[in-house]
Amino acid sequence: MKRRTLLKWLAAALFVGVLWRVVDWSELAAVFRGVDWRYAGAALAFSFAMVAASCWKWWVILRLQGLALPFGLLYRWYFIGYFYSNFLPSNVGGDVARAALAGRRANSYAGALVSVFAERLTGLLCLLALAVACPLTHASLRRLPALWIPAAAALGVLAVLGAAAVFGRRMPWGAWAGGVEGLAARLAAGASTGWRIAAAELVRKTGDRVGLAFARGAQLWHVLRARPGAALSVAGLTLLFYAMTAVNVTFCYRAFGVRPDTLMLLRVLPAALIVAMLPLTPGSLGLAEGSYVYYFGLTGLGVEATLAASVLLRLKVLMLGAIGMAVQAFEPWRPGGAPVSADGGMS
């Protein structure tokens, strides 16, 4: 096991251990015994609507590039993406799988890469903007460091991305690639083991990813600039997804007899999701549940009810991955079957 993977599992154990200490297990058992199967079923069914909303945005972005793939195919491939993201311990993630499947069908791996990148990037930008704006919508939330610290971080990231978008278009990326490779070569010069080799590899990977991100971002910018109306549609679909996320969490609480204030959930949800996205544990195990317990607790929701709702949220994701595994059995594509490197590579 790689050192980084081992550290992530140790971090997951730490977060789970903290939850273990703060939970009243007899009360948690009572919460699970009182499950309302009608709302639990509604929560599971709502997962398919959320996948459809994400897929709709992907479908729109593909059509903007002239890649008119059937919605039904994209919907099926989205489940395969869940399978690769949540079940396989490999470097082939769900986004890679979806881009490869769409690229093969559309005969345009570059276009498929941009579509998946655009879907993720627009979602991230919306999440960051909501993290900045949502705490300002309620007086009791503005004074909480737990919310304004993520809001400040989100604002900083948005500022960096904005500056990168402005100045990145003027940057000579050929010179960038050469400079990165030269720096990596100097770091590795004369080194056989140790931190110099690791630093050189980090420089190469970081440089490649920055260059690739800007290349995809430039392609996306040209697509959206040509169709401003479509850009608004993509933004609207992104906001729709986050509204559905708050409804999704509400369903999970209702499954355990708790009636949360959905609007208050929506106000703290961006900060909770940002923390849950940090790459500290495998699949955000323990981290996501701990983030939800803390942030939803700010709205008055109890630890045990929140942990029960978090378990249901986790089970829903695993369900989507299991469906993707079944769908993959009938899909002729396999990892490594797509010549993705010819169009700039997939990471």
Side-chain angles (χ1 to χ4, degrees):
M1 182 181 294
K2 293 182 179 179
R3 181 183 301 177
R4 184 172 61 178
T5 303
L6 177 60
L7 290 175
K8 285 188 174 184
W9 279 109
L10 290 175
L14 175 62
F15 285 117
V16 171
V18 171
L19 287 172
W20 184 280
R21 293 294 301 273
V22 301
V23 169
D24 183 327
W25 289 96
S26 60
E27 186 175 341
L28 181 63
V31 170
F32 276 113
R33 284 196 299 269
V35 63
D36 186 332
W37 292 106
R38 296 170 302 172
Y39 276 105
L44 293 174
F46 195 65
S47 298
F48 296 95
M50 294 186 68
V51 172
S54 295
C55 198
W56 187 5
K57 184 170 74 168
W58 187 24
W59 178 77
V60 168
I61 294 171
L62 281 166
R63 289 180 69 87
L64 285 174
Q65 300 174 86
L67 306 177
L69 295 178
F71 183 87
L73 273 181
L74 300 179
Y75 191 68
R76 188 173 76 195
W77 292 341
Y78 223 97
F79 287 103
I80 293 177
Y82 272 100
F83 167 58
Y84 280 106
S85 293
N86 294 283
F87 280 74
L88 293 187
S90 69
N91 293 325
V92 182
D95 291 346
V96 172
R98 289 194 294 121
L101 287 162
R104 182 194 61 178
R105 180 62 180 258
N107 197 28
S108 175
Y109 290 104
L113 279 169
V114 171
S115 72
V116 173
F117 176 78
E119 183 203 351
R120 290 298 186 191
L121 179 62
T122 53
L124 175 62
L125 293 175
C126 181
L127 178 61
L128 294 173
L130 288 173
V132 174
C134 283
L136 302 177
T137 63
H138 198 276
S140 66
L141 300 179
R142 295 174 196 155
R143 301 185 297 271
L144 298 177
L147 289 174
W148 61 255
I149 290 176
L155 185 61
V157 173
L158 287 172
V160 169
L161 291 175
V166 172
F167 298 107
R169 286 178 290 170
R170 306 173 187 173
M171 187 166 181
W173 288 105
W176 164 270
V180 167
E181 185 58 37
L183 175 59
R186 286 194 295 274
L187 282 171
S192 56
T193 57
W195 68 270
R196 291 176 64 111
I197 292 178
E201 186 62 21
L202 178 63
V203 166
R204 285 195 180 96
K205 287 184 177 180
T206 302
D208 289 345
R209 288 175 180 174
V210 169
L212 182 58
F214 270 102
R216 293 177 186 173
Q219 290 175 289
L220 171 62
W221 169 253
H222 288 304
V223 169
L224 295 180
R225 187 175 61 175
R227 302 278 296 277
L232 290 176
S233 297
V234 171
L237 288 170
T238 305
L239 288 171
L240 172 64
F241 178 81
Y242 281 110
M244 292 178 73
T245 302
V247 174
N248 182 45
V249 175
T250 300
F251 273 133
C252 290
Y253 272 109
R254 293 296 298 272
F256 298 103
V258 178
R259 295 175 175 267
D261 184 336
T262 303
L263 186 56
M264 285 299 289
L265 279 178
L266 187 58
R267 289 180 172 124
V268 300
L269 184 62
L273 291 176
I274 286 175
V275 173
M277 287 169 54
L278 297 175
L280 301 178
T281 67
S284 295
L285 180 64
L287 176 62
E289 289 78 7
S291 177
Y292 301 155
V293 164
Y294 181 80
Y295 280 101
F296 298 159
L298 298 177
T299 69
L301 295 166
V303 172
E304 289 73 24
T306 301
L307 186 56
S310 300
V311 170
L312 181 53
L313 287 168
R314 175 77 60 179
L315 290 175
K316 280 154 54 76
V317 172
L318 294 177
M319 175 193 72
L320 297 177
I323 293 172
M325 181 171 61
V327 173
Q328 173 68 88
F330 299 96
E331 179 62 51
W333 178 83
R334 292 293 183 274
V340 295
S341 60
D343 289 303
M346 287 185 179
S347 56

